Amino acid sequence: MKKIAFLLFFMVFCVEAQEKDTLSVKNVTASIELYKYYNLKKDTIQIDTSLTIQDEYRYNYLRKDTYGLLPFANEGYLYTQLDFSKKKSVILPQFGFQAKHITYLEADDINYYSVPTPYTDIYFKTVMRQGQSLDALLSVNTKRNLNFTIANKSIRSIGDYYNNLTSSGHFRFSSSYYTLNKKYYLNAHFAGQDIFNQENGGISNLTQFEIENPAFTQRERLDVYFNDASSKLKGNRFFIDHFYKFREVNSLVFKHQFSYENKFYEFIQNTPVARLGVATTQLINNKTRFNALYNKFGVSFLTKKLGELQFFIDQYATNTFYNTSNVFTPIASLPSNLRNTIVTLGGQYEFYRAKWRFVVLAQNGLSSKPTSNFEVTATYKIDQYNAITISGQQTSKIPDNTYVLSQSSYQNFNWYNSFANEKISKLNFEAKTKWLNISGQYSLLTDHLYFYNTQERIDSLMVKPFQYGKTIQYYAVEIAKEIKYKKFALDNRIKFQQVTQEDAILNVPKFIIRNTFYYTNAVFKKAMLLQMGVTCNYFTKYYADDYVPVIGEFFVQKTTKIGDFPLLDFFVNARVKQTRIYLKAEHINALFGKNDYYNAPNYPYRDFKIRFGLEWNFFK
């Protein structure tokens, strides 16, 4: 970390930052509009160095708006998902350990750049205790049609509570290329990620946290469940996406996508604890390995008037495995691996005409394990300020591997199951207007998979996977509106959620609210743009899922509700040329309110903190 910090500060002094509108390098002037990046969906985004309220929302470890996510006490650790509508439906079986994947960068999260001159983006933010969070990116076009980008995001934070250190690294290298005749295009990347967390299992005596005792204001003094447990999620991915088209329009297009990824999740504990049940070894060292190979071949016909019609076939082969095969009672035998080979055949039609955009996708499994996915999206763009989107999706999803197979030195966490596919139907509506933004979702879930603690006690965890054979209906409506008056603004966002079910399986807060009142003004003869304000986040009480680190998953619980407390943050931000400066006092009402704020039944939310950070953009 010290070497990386030194390199970054060296770059700060070596790179000459220019004005916002134009960037000059060796007598060559490049407009800021030419600096762009895009994702696999070909959504192109212009690099923006301005300072808006959205930059304030995105200034966090995930570097995206975390509305609907509640971060745990230590930075980069876990997030409680308040907003169920943001959960993605993937038809292919995943590795599992989903709670640990919130900070893991998937293939869709990698961006590809096009810059006329070398571009550098640096993110820095202080953490809870003894460490820092850093994300640095350097992008260079060696030629107009060839780009190389290297980036690394890392964090180290001891945290306020005992045995809760976070230490992670996310290295990315990406490249994009196209031939000068613009017939062949290539995007490729490598991602190496290492997410390490000490796991304390939460505080074991809630009274120590909730009472006003000065001895426990130093949070490391609070008793926790695990004193020597840790987890690690590590993965490497090689990815290629390329296509060739014979002509610019009215042409055949051949497409290919390839991905190879290997991962492992490891839970280590030097001393077994009774809370997790009977252990068969004195040293707990559970390690689950996972390999995934994906190939997709497609051919499409691209026309100017009728859009693009594509047919494709893909193969997804995975292997989840352990080094040994354990034998426990009452389970007679557990296999040492779980293999999946899934072949699907599909078609997609995209149509763009005037203000309309239609996308239809149909995909169905050909292998012995059936799976299917049908999606329809229609967008009507009235003008640059107003647009309406309606979409629907119906998915039959193969269970993730952690639901099917688990091996552990703790007897309670061993299973080998055969579950039916999860069936998920969604209908979404979104209207973006100059007056307000409104969106809604209706979801119907059948054969929903979940984890549940059969002991129904916080101090005893016997978490097992279950399948809910009855239907679950989920409704959500979200409204967002920003009101501006001169140099003042009030940004509002509210979400209403409702679940209809016979048993309390899917639990969400009914309301999620965020209000930000802020002031923006140019000061010091307009050399600095100043932004200051206060944000209030709130959600109603509900039975939030708890967390078990042995399998890196959240599980359903019906004993303790959390929520119904405000989170007040005061911030002062500034922009000088391409540098954005952030200063925030987080959760200021913790100084005078009750200690009743939790992420999960025994995981407290963050205390009051003052944190500082910077975002630098350099165009050389």
Side-chain angles (χ1 to χ4, degrees):
M1 289 297 297
K2 291 182 179 179
K3 292 181 179 179
I4 295 175
F6 173 80
L7 176 61
L8 294 176
F9 280 107
F10 176 78
M11 294 169 64
V12 170
F13 288 103
C14 292
V15 177
E16 183 177 351
Q18 304 298 324
E19 294 296 328
K20 177 178 183 286
D21 295 332
T22 60
L23 306 166
S24 301
V25 180
K26 295 182 180 180
N27 301 321
V28 178
T29 300
S31 171
I32 185 67
E33 286 78 14
L34 297 177
Y35 294 81
K36 301 177 181 180
Y37 64 90
Y38 58 94
N39 54 28
L40 287 177
K41 295 181 179 179
K42 304 301 185 290
D43 297 326
T44 302
I45 302 171
Q46 179 185 316
I47 292 173
D48 188 4
T49 61
S50 62
L51 180 63
T52 67
I53 192 61
Q54 297 302 320
D55 294 296
E56 161 63 23
Y57 296 151
R58 289 191 294 261
Y59 187 68
N60 54 68
Y61 184 66
L62 297 182
R63 303 199 73 178
K64 64 181 181 181
D65 191 344
T66 56
Y67 176 78
L69 292 175
L70 186 66
F72 272 57
N74 201 7
E75 184 85 339
Y77 178 46
L78 296 170
Y79 290 80
T80 299
Q81 186 165 351
L82 306 174
D83 184 357
F84 178 77
S85 68
K86 301 296 174 62
K87 188 173 182 180
K88 296 180 180 179
S89 297
V90 182
I91 67 170
L92 299 174
Q94 303 300 298
F95 181 33
F97 309 98
Q98 289 300 314
K100 309 301 296 187
H101 276 76
I102 185 65
T103 61
Y104 192 87
L105 299 175
E106 304 292 348
D108 293 341
D109 299 318
I110 305 298
N111 294 319
Y112 304 90
Y113 287 76
S114 175
V115 293
T117 63
Y119 166 72
T120 304
D121 175 80
I122 300 173
Y123 163 98
F124 169 80
K125 192 174 186 179
T126 57
V127 291
M128 307 315 168
R129 285 179 55 206
Q130 298 184 30
Q132 60 276 321
S133 176
L134 189 66
D135 190 2
L137 177 146
L138 174 63
S139 182
V140 178
N141 268 67
T142 58
K143 296 180 180 180
R144 185 182 184 88
N145 58 333
L146 179 61
N147 175 272
F148 296 101
T149 300
I150 187 169
N152 187 64
K153 179 166 71 171
S154 58
I155 186 173
R156 182 177 175 84
S157 175
I158 289 183
D160 293 328
Y161 294 86
Y162 185 73
N163 196 46
N164 196 211
L165 177 143
T166 294
S167 179
S168 302
H170 307 262
F171 174 81
R172 297 97 72 198
F173 175 79
S174 65
S175 180
S176 59
Y177 168 78
Y178 62 89
T179 56
L180 294 178
N181 60 11
K182 296 186 178 180
K183 291 185 176 181
Y184 177 75
Y185 288 80
L186 167 71
N187 293 314
H189 76 255
F190 167 78
Q193 304 179 71
D194 187 340
I195 302 171
F196 174 83
N197 297 116
Q198 290 180 335
E199 304 282 1
N200 61 26
I203 57 176
S204 57
N205 188 344
L206 300 184
T207 304
Q208 295 177 348
F209 172 73
E210 295 176 358
I211 62 173
E212 299 294 334
N213 188 337
F216 294 119
T217 56
Q218 294 181 336
R219 297 307 192 191
E220 64 269 20
R221 294 184 175 181
L222 273 67
D223 295 329
V224 295
Y225 280 108
F226 310 146
N227 295 317
D228 55 9
S230 64
S231 68
K232 178 184 286 189
L233 172 64
K234 187 172 183 178
N236 295 310
R237 180 177 60 248
F238 299 88
F239 180 89
I240 295 174
D241 180 74
H242 56 149
F243 66 89
Y244 181 86
K245 58 182 178 179
F246 291 90
R247 292 189 299 270
E248 188 66 26
V249 294
N250 300 326
S251 172
L252 281 175
V253 182
F254 292 99
K255 300 183 178 183
H256 175 231
Q257 192 175 97
F258 167 85
S259 175
Y260 175 74
E261 188 166 27
N262 60 76
K263 298 180 183 179
F264 73 75
Y265 180 79
E266 184 176 46
F267 176 78
I268 296 176
Q269 193 170 30
N270 294 328
T271 306
V273 294
R275 187 191 186 207
L276 297 173
V278 177
T280 60
T281 60
Q282 292 302 310
L283 171 64
I284 306 299
N285 189 351
N286 301 337
K287 191 170 186 178
T288 308
R289 295 171 173 85
F290 175 79
N291 295 331
L293 178 66
Y294 179 76
N295 266 297
K296 179 180 179 181
F297 297 91
V299 58
S300 67
F301 187 69
L302 179 65
T303 66
K304 185 176 182 180
K305 293 184 178 180
L306 299 178
E308 182 178 11
L309 178 63
Q310 177 187 179
F311 297 96
F312 63 86
I313 185 170
D314 62 6
Q315 183 187 52
Y316 181 67
T318 67
N319 184 21
T320 299
F321 60 100
Y322 300 85
N323 283 341
T324 58
S325 179
N326 296 327
V327 178
F328 295 114
T329 303
I331 301 176
S333 179
L334 290 176
S336 60
N337 72 330
L338 176 66
R339 295 181 182 272
N340 282 310
T341 300
I342 301 158
V343 179
T344 68
L345 182 67
Q348 180 171 304
Y349 178 60
E350 295 185 55
F351 173 75
Y352 301 87
R353 186 73 178 269
K355 299 179 179 181
W356 288 95
R357 178 177 184 263
F358 294 99
V359 179
V360 180
L361 170 67
Q363 188 175 3
N364 198 59
L366 299 178
S367 56
S368 58
K369 296 187 176 181
T371 182
S372 62
N373 182 39
F374 301 95
E375 297 181 43
V376 179
T377 302
T379 300
Y380 179 67
K381 187 175 182 181
I382 303 171
D383 53 40
Q384 61 177 333
Y385 303 107
N386 304 282
I388 298 174
T389 300
I390 299 176
S391 64
Q393 182 182 21
Q394 188 174 52
T395 302
S396 176
K397 172 182 165 39
I398 296 176
D400 289 344
N401 294 339
T402 42
Y403 291 106
V404 180
L405 176 64
S406 177
Q407 280 193 21
S408 173
S409 296
Y410 282 112
Q411 289 192 20
N412 291 342
F413 293 89
N414 289 271
W415 54 76
Y416 181 51
N417 300 310
S418 178
F419 288 123
N421 282 14
E422 294 183 276
K423 289 84 175 177
I424 305 169
S425 299
K426 292 182 181 180
L427 181 63
N428 295 278
F429 168 81
E430 182 179 24
K432 293 184 177 180
T433 72
K434 58 183 178 181
W435 301 283
L436 59 79
N437 295 335
I438 182 170
S439 62
Q441 182 183 110
Y442 169 75
S443 295
L444 180 66
L445 312 177
T446 306
D447 293 325
H448 176 67
L449 287 167
Y450 64 100
F451 291 96
Y452 182 67
N453 180 19
T454 58
Q455 297 292 90
E456 297 187 349
R457 293 165 45 192
I458 292 178
D459 61 346
S460 180
L461 298 182
M462 190 179 291
V463 178
K464 301 285 185 182
F466 294 90
Q467 188 159 46
Y468 189 63
K470 301 176 183 178
T471 60
I472 300 174
Q473 298 183 73
Y474 168 83
Y475 311 84
V477 177
E478 181 177 322
I479 298 175
K481 171 63 177 176
E482 185 176 33
I483 303 170
K484 291 186 176 182
Y485 178 74
K486 294 183 178 180
K487 297 175 182 179
F488 295 90
L490 178 63
D491 186 64
N492 308 282
R493 185 174 292 270
I494 181 171
K495 190 177 199 81
F496 169 76
Q497 302 177 114
Q498 180 67 49
V499 180
T500 302
Q501 55 190 346
E502 291 188 21
D503 304 285
I505 303 300
L506 177 61
N507 301 307
V508 295
K510 279 195 174 183
F511 288 97
I512 308 170
I513 302 172
R514 181 178 68 191
N515 303 106
T516 302
F517 179 73
Y518 67 101
Y519 168 83
T520 305
N521 191 22
V523 296
F524 302 120
K525 298 182 179 180
K526 297 185 178 181
M528 173 186 288
L529 182 66
L530 180 68
Q531 179 190 81
M532 59 189 300
V534 60
T535 296
C536 177
N537 284 282
Y538 173 84
F539 62 96
T540 51
K541 273 194 172 184
Y542 79 111
Y543 289 107
D545 290 350
D546 206 344
Y547 170 69
V548 55
V550 180
I551 55 173
E553 296 276 5
F554 285 103
F555 64 90
V556 176
Q557 60 88 25
K558 305 175 184 178
T559 58
T560 306
K561 286 186 176 183
I562 70 164
D564 195 25
F565 55 85
L567 302 172
L568 294 176
D569 301 331
F570 175 76
F571 60 89
V572 178
N573 305 329
R575 174 184 173 272
V576 180
K577 295 186 178 180
Q578 279 78 53
T579 303
R580 285 169 286 190
I581 306 168
Y582 298 87
L583 179 66
K584 179 183 285 188
E586 299 181 352
H587 199 188
I588 56 178
N589 53 309
L591 296 173
F592 49 82
K594 295 182 179 179
N595 292 344
D596 59 352
Y597 41 90
Y598 291 90
N599 279 86
N602 61 314
Y603 286 89
Y605 180 70
R606 299 172 178 176
D607 292 320
F608 169 74
K609 292 287 181 184
I610 296 178
R611 301 174 67 191
F612 165 80
L614 299 167
E615 279 184 318
W616 295 306
N617 295 120
F618 300 109
F619 307 83
K620 184 175 180 181

